[in-house]
Amino acid sequence: MLNQMNLNSASIKRDWSDHAIWWEQKQRWLLRTSWTLEKYGIHADARLLYMPQHKPLKLGLPNGITLRLHACFSSPVFQTLMGICRMLNIRHPEELSLLRPLEEKKKKKDKDSAEEIYDLTEIFSPLKSSFAVSRPCLYNGMPAHFADSPKMEAIYKMLSVTQPPPAPEVVAKQYRPASVVDKAHINGRWLDSSRCLIQQGIRENDRLWLRFKYFAFYDIEPKYDVVRLTQLYEQARWSILLEDIDCTEEEMMLFGALQYHISKVSQSEPKLLSSSAAMDDLESALQSLEVKMDGESSSASEIFVVKLKHVTICFRPKKLTLKGYKQYWFKFQDTSISYYKSKEESIGEPIQQINLRGCEVAPDVNMAAQKFLIRLLIPAPEGMNEVYLRCENEQQYAQWMAACRLASKGKSLADSSFQSEIKSIHSFLAMQRTNPSSHGNTPANDESINTHSLVSPRYHKKYKTKQLTPRILDAYQNVAQLSLTDALTRFLQIWQALPDFGLSYIVVRFKGSRKDEVLGIAPNRLIRIDLGVGDVVKTWRYNNMKQWNVNWDIRQMAIEFEGNVNIAFSCVTADCKIVHEFIGGYIFMSTRSREKSDTLNEELFHKLTGGHEAL
Amino acid sequence: MTVVVFLVLFLLSSISRGRYPSGGADVHESCNLTRRSEDFEISEKMDDIDAMFSDLLGEMDLLTQSLEQETAAPTSLPTTTTTTTNNNKEVNFSIFTDLNESLHELEDTDLDALMADLVADLNATEEKLAAEIQGLKVPSPPPPDLPPPPKGLSAHHPASPASPAGSTGSNVSTPASSSASSPLPPPPPQSTKPTKEEIEAQMKADKIKLALEKLKEAKVKKLVVKVLLNDGSSKTLMVDERQNVREVLDNLFEKTHCDCNVDWSLCETNPELQLERAFEDHENLVEPLLAWTRDSENKILFKERGEKYEVFKNPQTFYLWKKDNKALKAIKDKDKEILIKENFCGTSAIVPDLEAVLHLKEDGKKSWRQRLFQLRASGIYYVPKGKTKSSRDLVCFLQFDNVNVYYGKDFKGKYKAPTDFCFLLKHPQIQKDSQYIKYLCCDDACTMNLWVTGIRIAKYGASLYENFKTAEKRAAVSSVWTNRSAPSCSNPSTPSPTIKAKSPSHANGHAQKPQPGPTSTDVGGVPPPPPPPPPPPLPSTSTFPPSPPEPVFAPPPPPLAAKSSPKPAFPQQHPPPNFPLPPPPAMDFPPPPPLPPIADHSEAPPDFLPPPPPSFGSLSPLPPLPGKSLPPPPPPCFRRMDQSLPPPPPDPGFLPPPPPQPMFTGAGAPPPPPPPPPPPPPAPTAAPSAAVRPSGSVRKMPPPPPKRTTPTLPAGGGGGGGGEGGGGDFMSELMKAMQKKRSVP
């Protein structure tokens, strides 16, 4: 009897409770201690290993950090994953999975060894206890096991705060899938959820990646999902930077602006951890107080006039050349600018008053030439009027630019965001200034981020920093007011709105077809993509699916849809178990609903994804 | 004084706030925008006030003149109505910039409605002020608010504040949002004031401040908007800056008795650019209207547009457009739901990925060029020549932050477009042809709808779905009400609209349109319908029953009637507007309902007659009776009206207001009452009309008295004897006052 063996070994003074017997030959854990060896079919010549079920594992997180932690090697990966997520305080572990990392070139290996690894092995066999609640109670904003020591707290902070933008070279060096087929290969690396780690050849201290696998993110609640949201953002960010998912230039600029904003805000807002209810209340109370005070002060300064002299203005009605910049005395009031011949006349009627509400504001700045132009496109019944304001210096420019931007959104100068707007304009100007000297090297301080680190390498070649910065700044003005959480959410929303979002590719060969094609697996549908042209040939939605079968012998999948549509294919770049799990997984994801509360229906998951293993 | 002053301020400010900084100098401009902003800034300095008043007086003159003009041509009004109705093309104005103009152009009914709204507003403001000012008057602190001018009119003053107190109603729906909403306690009795000491004085100073603040709050832009209906008739309403389109639609539902389905939309048309766009329900109405130019011929239409929420009815045509038609038609409701859920209930709405070759009008030329366009959440892109369709190669054609999407009409003719299925994108402020407008042309209507809807989804996202859900709810409620609103007067909702038939013009309107729409038009004019009630299609029958009274009534009969539920049928069958003869309403089901009412009538009448105004509660029962009887007796109403309304000739422009008042007086005042409550059973036809009005007033009284009531009050107080005189007196007083003012300075 197995438990007898256990008992014997227990005489040695040590905690053996985590140990179990691994039958290497049959790739099988002997976990049922009440079974006899005979029942397990073990003969005298069998070689059994008595070893711990939990072993350290190096886990690469979406944000690039590597953790070393104890993972369960004896239970199905799905359960192992649940344990890991519990430890890291990530809700909804079903959306994630473990991925075998890419083999790295020898050269890189050296560098890797130098890489810092954050050790979480102190947390042993994590909390199998009453931790089923999906909203774990937090201590000081983090799970209790992280609150033990400052070191652990620091690690938790790494998990829950976004990383600063990577240096452009780092991005450039990373592996970037160049084609759909490359992407498909990555999907061949997912571990099988229904088998345990050791059965899949993972050994102690091996490296695995933790990634979001199913792009159906359920019930994201920033209050509880700090780590989840952060890691999701990181994964999204990297998928953009590495062009794992395609986007247009405009979208890239917006992503860049959001990254800039997020990194800025998360550095100035380290209190993110404080998600305890009391703190929230306090914070919101404080915020509302602030707002109130803002409101009061604004009413006091309703006619707040920016006293900037000598802004020069030039109207450029189409055919006129840029010659005539003329000096006027300008006043900014509410959302309008008025100008006068001189300061003395500013008491009377202005020459003209222009309401900037709804106008487009664009910078035209050249630091080297000390050119500070604000280009305004002001809507009028006849079309758009183009107006240039020329400022004398950086200071003036920043103020007026900020004022114009606020006004275009219908906010007056009294708005609380005025100062921060000025600040951000300054910092962008600074970026432009420092660029020539630092030659695009990673900037040391956070004040000036190299904008190249915010976009994918493609744009490193396409634009110089000087050109890139204004474009990102341009996009930035639309997001500058967002809070950290809002900015993260916004980033994810835009990411999710990309046409190719959520597609996992597998190269397959359809029955009766002679060439390889690509199967795209999305949260709600399957698509068939022609490899040659890249066009979507056909789409099938899960809700029309009647059943799917896997023929494990010939490794073929057959799917039947309503209306007598049947497809069958064999998988080229991935095991058909992976495809099977993808489809079953997405169907499982769609069964989640609020009513069923927070408990994870593990059994159903295995039923849908397990295949023959589940039986 | 308050009444008058405010009226004046109100109107004047609207004129002066228009686009003419100089103040109604060129009154006869043909602008169509009336700006009503209550933002008269009351500075604490008396000088300013004086200056302001002299200004105001000047404008008052103009106003008076315009009124006189109106008076001069009272008879012509009906005709105008007809013309408007018949050829809406001739009616270019949808919004009035200029009060004079608007008064001229408005039809009687419109004026009615408008005045009702206005008066309601005024009352609210007035009450508020009355409360404040009365407090202020006695105390030493200088009453800055409305100093000198009003004095002449002060006679009015006591009456108005006092009476309103009783009626301080919250006029729910309509424009008078801010001012109306703040419920002011009845003005403190004057007697107390003298006794007050300096401390009190201070308090009053505080109150002044408060009043000023409230006035500031009231700085809300309002527009008088003329909405064209399908049948060519129109409705005029006042729209508040803060109202969104949904609220305006609800308002219109009440005024028109349409079926309230989700397709009803407010559309903006621009004849110069030949474009049309349905406002989204969450949009503010005022803002886009402010972008119209002075001489704009733009119009606002109220009509059903199937494509408005088509995406929620048939999401598959948008999200699965690549599939063949057969598959789409076979789609099940369940699948539709899933599609909607997938695309609108996630973290953000998903934009259908559209891709098509569209024709793009080249800047400044009449030539069109084909490009392969793609729609993404971030904007419209096209594939440059010789490049692939991959995202990185796409060129951004346009992003949606600053533009709206419009349908173009007849661009084939105007711009030589390849087809007539065109849409365009422009900044809402642009009103004329410009290089900043992007014109796109699709091969077929289907593609066009696909794109326009796709762009709307990209631009508005999940709020579209929210709008749809709200609209759907609204439609459901109204249909429920329709069904329920059977003869049994049980429905509290009874929208006052039923009260129409005020003036001859109404009759015309009614006659013209068989559909409920027209009726409602007229109706709308009369009362600012209480917001809450769902508009039952049957104007007369269902509407009348005042909710409170019900209990009094014999409950049994009504229910029965209700069960028979002739209602649903009614709405459609009867053209309520015409006030079909008594028989028609009864038609199939009539028998049951009438009987019960009759019984009620017999009981009710007594109460009604004796206790005039005070016993509203008891009165309330009465209304139901009339309501039931209502259907038949429209004609009588008119006669009565005419008779009772002597003043029409004096100032036609203002006529509208008087009607309500007379009615009220009739009901409330001991002398007139007898006629209205007409004997129930015998002369049901006659009774209804008369009854209707009283009922209207009565209704209001019980719960929160709507604006209408207030107007009546002043009239009753001032006019005393003749209810009819109310309106006329009021106006003449006003004029007198103005003259006095003028002479004083």
Side-chain angles (χ1 to χ4, degrees):
Chain A
M1 303 273 283
L2 286 180
N3 53 356
Q4 276 177 345
M5 280 172 63
N6 276 338
L7 285 179
N8 290 343
S9 51
S11 58
I12 308 171
K13 280 180 192 161
R14 202 174 142 186
D15 180 10
W16 298 101
S17 62
D18 190 46
H19 279 57
I21 292 170
W22 168 248
W23 185 7
E24 201 171 20
Q25 191 186 351
K26 287 269 167 100
Q27 290 284 300
R28 180 161 192 198
W29 284 94
L30 310 183
L31 293 175
R32 307 199 184 203
T33 48
S34 56
W35 282 21
T36 59
L37 290 180
E38 191 182 7
K39 190 164 183 186
Y40 269 120
I42 294 172
H43 300 289
D45 58 345
R47 193 164 161 259
L48 298 183
L49 293 180
Y50 184 59
M51 59 181 185
Q53 298 175 52
H54 286 84
K55 300 182 189 192
L57 191 71
K58 282 191 229 155
L59 194 66
L61 297 186
N63 65 355
I65 287 179
T66 305
L67 300 173
R68 188 159 171 272
L69 43 70
H70 278 295
C72 179
F73 276 65
S74 65
S75 50
V77 163
F78 189 66
Q79 269 179 19
T80 307
L81 193 73
M82 285 167 70
I84 292 173
C85 289
R86 215 179 283 139
M87 186 193 296
L88 302 182
N89 191 25
I90 298 175
R91 299 195 309 149
H92 296 287
E94 68 272 17
E95 291 162 6
L96 298 99
S97 192
L98 296 173
L99 190 65
R100 277 178 241 261
L102 298 161
E103 297 86 12
E104 286 157 32
K105 296 166 199 161
K106 286 286 170 200
K107 191 173 70 181
K108 263 188 175 178
K109 273 252 163 112
D110 315 338
K111 203 187 157 201
D112 269 346
S113 57
E115 179 198 28
E116 191 173 1
I117 292 178
Y118 299 90
D119 199 348
L120 284 180
T121 46
E122 295 169 29
I123 308 170
F124 189 64
S125 98
L127 340 143
K128 273 203 172 166
S129 57
S130 62
F131 210 30
V133 198
S134 71
R135 292 188 176 171
C137 45
L138 302 180
Y139 172 74
N140 201 7
M142 59 188 88
H145 50 275
F146 277 109
D148 289 345
S149 67
K151 193 180 126 213
M152 296 296 274
E153 272 186 37
I155 294 178
Y156 188 72
K157 199 179 156 197
M158 312 269 325
L159 298 179
S160 57
V161 177
T162 58
Q163 297 292 299
E169 307 80 53
V170 175
V171 180
K173 266 186 213 158
Q174 297 262 341
Y175 169 75
R176 269 172 288 145
S179 66
V180 180
V181 177
D182 286 352
K183 293 176 196 170
H185 277 288
I186 293 179
N187 282 318
R189 304 173 166 277
W190 291 107
L191 293 191
D192 184 341
S193 298
S194 39
R195 299 198 300 154
C196 62
L197 287 177
I198 201 168
Q199 282 171 332
Q200 303 183 55
I202 310 295
R203 300 287 171 243
E204 190 169 332
N205 277 324
D206 272 1
R207 176 187 295 270
L208 286 177
W209 284 349
L210 177 69
R211 292 290 185 271
F212 289 89
K213 177 180 181 187
Y214 300 100
F215 295 89
F217 311 113
Y218 181 68
D219 182 32
I220 292 185
E221 169 61 68
K223 203 165 166 180
Y224 300 103
D225 287 330
V226 185
V227 181
R228 182 172 171 222
L229 196 59
T230 307
Q231 298 301 330
L232 186 54
Y233 160 73
E234 292 282 355
Q235 186 167 334
R237 178 236 286 245
W238 280 102
S239 72
I240 302 279
L241 288 182
L242 299 180
E243 290 171 12
D244 193 24
I245 182 167
D246 267 345
C247 66
T248 64
E249 196 170 316
E250 283 70 24
E251 286 156 355
M252 182 62 84
M253 296 307 147
L254 185 51
F255 282 126
L258 278 166
Q259 285 178 68
Y260 171 76
H261 183 61
I262 289 169
S263 79
K264 222 178 74 174
V265 183
S266 66
Q267 274 160 15
S268 64
E269 204 178 287
K271 59 194 170 186
L272 177 72
L273 293 183
S274 63
S275 55
S276 74
M279 283 295 276
D280 272 2
D281 288 350
L282 186 61
E283 242 171 86
S284 63
L286 278 175
Q287 261 171 13
S288 69
L289 186 65
E290 255 174 63
V291 170
K292 253 188 220 156
M293 289 172 60
D294 268 354
E296 274 159 28
S297 68
S298 75
S299 64
S301 62
E302 206 160 336
I303 312 180
F304 177 55
V305 179
V306 178
K307 285 179 188 158
L308 297 180
K309 308 161 207 170
H310 309 310
V311 173
T312 15
I313 188 174
C314 169
F315 285 96
R316 201 174 59 154
K318 269 193 198 162
K319 289 186 182 171
L320 285 188
T321 51
L322 265 178
K323 264 190 216 168
Y325 279 100
K326 249 181 157 184
Q327 281 202 355
Y328 289 102
W329 175 264
F330 270 76
K331 235 184 186 175
F332 213 115
Q333 200 162 336
D334 222 13
T335 62
S336 307
I337 47 175
S338 331
Y339 61 96
Y340 309 84
K341 267 211 169 114
S342 66
K343 185 181 180 185
E344 289 67 39
E345 289 180 22
S346 64
I347 309 141
E349 284 276 305
I351 300 172
Q352 198 189 349
Q353 186 172 21
I354 309 170
N355 193 339
L356 300 186
R357 241 193 121 124
C359 78
E360 287 173 33
V361 186
D364 184 357
V365 175
N366 186 334
M367 292 290 287
Q370 285 291 298
K371 180 176 92 171
F372 299 101
L373 277 184
I374 303 173
R375 178 172 170 265
L376 302 173
L377 258 189
I378 300 160
E382 296 77 25
M384 305 288 245
N385 290 325
E386 214 171 349
V387 176
Y388 285 89
L389 301 181
R390 185 155 127 189
C391 304
E392 283 184 331
N393 54 43
E394 198 181 321
Q395 181 62 26
Q396 194 186 41
Y397 167 79
Q399 285 185 336
W400 280 82
M401 188 69 180
C404 289
R405 289 216 168 119
L406 289 186
S408 72
K409 282 177 234 150
K411 293 181 189 163
S412 76
L413 301 191
D415 195 271
S416 57
S417 55
F418 183 49
Q419 289 305 326
S420 69
E421 187 80 45
I422 293 180
K423 236 174 151 184
S424 73
I425 292 172
H426 270 305
S427 63
F428 268 97
L429 286 177
M431 266 186 244
Q432 287 199 32
R433 196 173 32 210
T434 56
N435 171 51
S437 57
S438 70
H439 259 311
N441 281 339
T442 326
N445 61 0
D446 53 68
E447 264 305 295
S448 53
I449 297 172
N450 186 333
T451 41
H452 271 169
S453 59
L454 303 172
V455 295
S456 74
R458 166 190 317 281
Y459 297 95
H460 299 181
K461 289 171 214 151
K462 191 164 177 187
Y463 295 114
K464 292 180 189 156
T465 316
K466 204 167 62 183
Q467 301 164 308
L468 191 61
T469 305
R471 295 208 55 184
I472 293 185
L473 176 59
D474 217 21
Y476 175 68
Q477 56 176 300
N478 289 322
V479 299
Q481 311 305 326
L482 298 177
S483 74
L484 178 56
T485 310
D486 290 345
L488 288 174
T489 316
R490 182 75 174 279
F491 190 99
L492 294 178
Q493 278 177 0
I494 304 175
W495 177 54
Q496 286 170 283
L498 295 176
D500 293 342
F501 166 80
L503 283 175
S504 309
Y505 302 101
I506 312 277
V507 177
V508 298
R509 179 161 302 182
F510 280 90
K511 198 174 166 185
S513 167
R514 302 180 116 206
K515 56 175 185 183
D516 285 349
E517 281 168 280
V518 174
L519 180 74
I521 305 172
N524 58 0
R525 65 193 192 276
L526 297 174
I527 58 176
R528 179 174 178 175
I529 301 170
D530 184 298
L531 252 182
V533 196
D535 277 351
V536 173
V537 180
K538 192 94 180 114
T539 303
W540 304 279
R541 297 172 50 82
Y542 296 147
N543 54 303
N544 290 330
M545 194 190 280
K546 283 171 101 173
Q547 62 169 333
W548 79 100
N549 297 295
V550 185
N551 184 333
W552 298 105
D553 296 330
I554 57 169
R555 310 307 263 180
Q556 191 184 61
M557 282 205 70
I559 309 179
E560 184 185 349
F561 294 94
E562 281 168 19
N564 252 341
V565 178
N566 288 290
I567 59 173
F569 53 84
S570 57
C571 309
V572 179
T573 56
D575 191 277
C576 65
K577 170 68 164 68
I578 289 175
V579 179
H580 167 65
E581 205 175 294
F582 256 120
I583 295 172
Y586 273 125
I587 288 173
F588 173 77
M589 300 298 150
S590 69
T591 64
R592 295 179 294 177
S593 69
R594 221 163 275 275
E595 298 83 55
K596 285 171 193 158
S597 80
D598 301 325
T599 48
L600 180 56
N601 190 341
E602 211 182 318
E603 194 187 333
L604 179 62
F605 183 87
H606 282 302
K607 221 165 145 188
L608 286 169
T609 63
H612 60 315
E613 324 259 344
L615 303 176
Chain B
M1 97 183 198
T2 35
V3 180
V4 176
V5 170
F6 265 89
L7 176 52
V8 174
L9 282 178
F10 216 2
L11 301 178
L12 292 186
S13 67
S14 56
I15 294 176
S16 58
R17 299 282 155 188
R19 299 229 166 152
Y20 322 105
S22 53
D26 36 2
V27 184
H28 281 285
E29 287 244 11
S30 60
C31 317
N32 298 335
L33 287 171
T34 307
R35 298 263 162 97
R36 299 185 63 233
S37 53
E38 290 182 274
D39 55 347
F40 24 91
E41 301 176 12
I42 302 195
S43 67
E44 309 215 0
K45 293 182 186 172
M46 293 289 281
D47 311 358
D48 293 349
I49 294 179
D50 275 341
M52 185 177 73
F53 259 105
S54 56
D55 254 347
L56 290 183
L57 284 176
E59 295 181 352
M60 259 191 184
D61 270 351
L62 296 173
L63 185 66
T64 337
Q65 283 166 17
S66 72
L67 287 180
E68 281 164 1
Q69 286 168 1
E70 285 284 325
T71 340
T75 40
S76 64
L77 283 179
T79 24
T80 353
T81 321
T82 41
T83 46
T84 336
T85 341
N86 293 337
N87 341 319
N88 33 355
K89 280 185 188 171
E90 295 183 10
V91 189
N92 297 334
F93 53 89
S94 301
I95 305 190
F96 306 95
T97 313
D98 176 318
L99 199 63
N100 257 335
E101 175 115 351
S102 57
L103 286 181
H104 277 301
E105 305 229 31
L106 281 181
E107 303 150 33
D108 244 5
T109 47
D110 292 336
L111 276 177
D112 271 355
L114 191 53
M115 279 313 292
D117 283 355
L118 277 178
V119 172
D121 268 4
L122 282 181
N123 282 325
T125 332
E126 165 206 327
E127 280 166 32
K128 213 204 261 175
L129 272 189
E132 311 273 4
I133 288 167
Q134 285 204 348
L136 300 177
K137 271 187 182 173
V138 181
S140 52
D145 296 8
L146 309 172
K151 287 174 190 171
L153 304 176
S154 57
H156 263 300
H157 191 43
S160 58
S163 49
S167 64
T168 28
S170 57
N171 34 348
V172 198
S173 56
T174 27
S177 47
S178 64
S179 50
S181 57
S182 65
L184 288 185
Q190 299 206 350
S191 58
T192 49
K193 295 163 191 171
T195 55
K196 294 180 182 174
E197 300 173 11
E198 291 191 5
I199 306 171
E200 300 266 10
Q202 268 215 344
M203 287 180 57
K204 268 147 209 173
D206 291 346
K207 276 190 185 168
I208 296 178
K209 266 191 195 165
L210 207 127
L212 286 176
E213 272 170 29
K214 287 204 172 153
L215 280 176
K216 255 189 200 166
E217 265 176 37
K219 270 194 200 176
V220 176
K221 271 185 212 140
K222 294 179 183 176
L223 292 181
V224 174
V225 177
K226 177 158 182 160
V227 180
L228 298 183
L229 307 186
N230 261 345
D231 53 36
S233 63
S234 68
K235 289 258 167 235
T236 304
L237 23 116
M238 187 153 57
V239 184
D240 177 306
E241 198 176 20
R242 293 162 302 186
Q243 269 180 310
N244 64 22
V245 172
R246 178 75 251 158
E247 287 164 306
V248 177
L249 281 178
D250 285 348
N251 231 332
L252 280 166
F253 285 168
E254 264 146 35
K255 293 194 177 194
T256 59
H257 296 281
C258 65
D259 62 359
C260 304
N261 73 47
V262 297
D263 291 341
W264 286 103
S265 333
L266 274 186
C267 308
E268 159 189 36
T269 62
N270 180 331
E272 185 169 346
L273 291 172
Q274 297 182 7
L275 53 80
E276 178 168 331
R277 171 174 97 95
F279 295 112
E280 303 300 340
D281 288 357
H282 65 276
E283 274 183 280
N284 266 339
L285 185 55
V286 168
E287 207 178 311
L289 298 189
L290 290 182
W292 291 10
T293 54
R294 266 197 230 174
D295 50 350
S296 170
E297 300 198 339
N298 293 7
K299 284 176 219 153
I300 299 198
L301 314 179
F302 175 61
K303 61 181 192 180
E304 287 174 279
R305 292 180 67 107
E307 70 272 16
K308 185 180 185 189
Y309 290 126
E310 179 67 15
V311 66
F312 302 110
K313 295 181 209 156
N314 289 304
Q316 74 280 7
T317 47
F318 297 89
Y319 286 96
L320 307 177
W321 58 277
K322 285 175 191 158
K323 302 227 172 196
D324 52 9
N325 270 337
K326 227 192 276 167
L328 291 188
K329 273 178 194 154
I331 197 162
K332 295 176 214 145
D333 282 353
K334 195 191 83 199
D335 293 335
K336 291 185 187 176
E337 269 170 41
I338 292 176
L339 270 180
I340 292 176
K341 201 175 152 214
E342 255 174 36
N343 292 297
F344 288 95
C345 301
T347 48
S348 59
I350 294 172
V351 179
D353 52 337
L354 303 181
E355 181 182 304
V357 175
L358 304 179
H359 308 265
L360 168 66
K361 183 171 171 287
E362 295 190 75
D363 285 346
K365 296 185 212 158
K366 282 208 171 174
S367 58
W368 295 74
R369 166 173 185 184
Q370 289 197 341
R371 276 195 185 283
L372 178 55
F373 285 94
Q374 277 191 6
L375 178 68
R376 290 175 152 245
S378 58
I380 299 178
Y381 295 78
Y382 63 85
V383 181
K385 233 184 184 169
K387 297 272 186 145
T388 67
K389 285 198 281 182
S390 87
S391 301
R392 55 190 71 150
D393 287 337
L394 294 178
V395 175
C396 185
F397 170 65
L398 170 138
Q399 297 188 293
F400 303 123
D401 301 327
N402 292 317
V403 298
N404 284 337
V405 61
Y406 300 77
Y407 284 99
K409 280 194 291 198
D410 192 27
F411 278 12
K412 219 169 164 178
K414 186 169 185 187
Y415 297 114
K416 295 203 176 129
T419 75
D420 261 339
F421 310 110
C422 298
F423 65 93
L424 57 91
L425 294 136
K426 70 170 183 74
H427 194 290
Q429 297 239 312
I430 299 179
Q431 299 290 320
K432 319 218 151 135
D433 200 1
S434 141
Q435 54 162 329
Y436 294 95
I437 302 180
K438 306 290 182 196
Y439 301 90
L440 289 166
C441 179
C442 315
D443 286 337
D444 49 48
C446 187
T447 315
M448 176 176 69
N449 278 330
L450 211 55
W451 277 80
V452 173
T453 308
I455 293 168
R456 286 169 59 217
I457 296 171
K459 187 167 166 63
Y460 304 108
S463 41
L464 278 188
Y465 187 47
E466 296 300 318
N467 291 345
F468 171 69
K469 282 191 285 190
T470 315
E472 218 183 14
K473 246 181 246 161
R474 183 64 171 77
V477 167
S478 78
S479 68
V480 167
W481 278 107
T482 321
N483 296 332
R484 248 198 254 158
S485 62
S488 68
C489 11
S490 57
N491 285 339
S493 63
T494 69
S496 39
T498 39
I499 309 177
K500 38 199 137 157
K502 288 192 176 177
S503 55
S505 63
H506 286 289
N508 290 342
H510 285 295
Q512 289 178 349
K513 295 293 168 170
Q515 292 226 346
T519 14
S520 52
T521 329
D522 300 346
V523 175
V526 178
L538 291 188
S540 52
T541 36
S542 55
T543 32
F544 286 121
S547 54
E550 283 198 15
V552 183
F553 282 73
L560 296 177
K563 283 171 188 173
S564 61
S565 74
K567 302 269 166 150
F570 275 110
Q572 302 166 351
Q573 294 179 352
H574 309 291
N578 296 337
F579 280 90
L581 301 178
M587 306 215 81
D588 310 339
F589 297 79
L595 296 175
I598 294 175
D600 295 345
H601 280 284
S602 58
E603 298 173 3
D607 295 348
F608 190 45
L609 298 178
S615 63
F616 274 119
S618 60
L619 288 182
S620 56
L622 295 177
L625 301 176
K628 292 171 183 180
S629 53
L630 283 181
C637 293
F638 290 158
R639 291 171 203 160
R640 282 199 69 244
M641 290 300 301
D642 295 342
Q643 296 165 359
S644 62
L645 303 177
D651 34 15
F654 277 61
L655 279 184
Q661 297 174 351
M663 328 241 342
F664 191 34
T665 40
T685 47
S689 61
V692 173
R693 307 209 166 164
S695 68
S697 58
V698 173
R699 278 180 227 143
K700 295 162 188 173
M701 307 312 286
K707 321 153 185 185
R708 294 285 169 64
T709 24
T710 16
T712 39
L713 295 175
E724 346 132 351
D729 285 350
F730 183 46
M731 281 322 293
S732 60
E733 290 264 7
L734 208 171
M735 303 217 293
K736 270 186 224 158
M738 288 191 297
Q739 280 167 358
K740 272 185 203 166
K741 293 285 141 155
R742 241 178 271 151
S743 57
V744 171

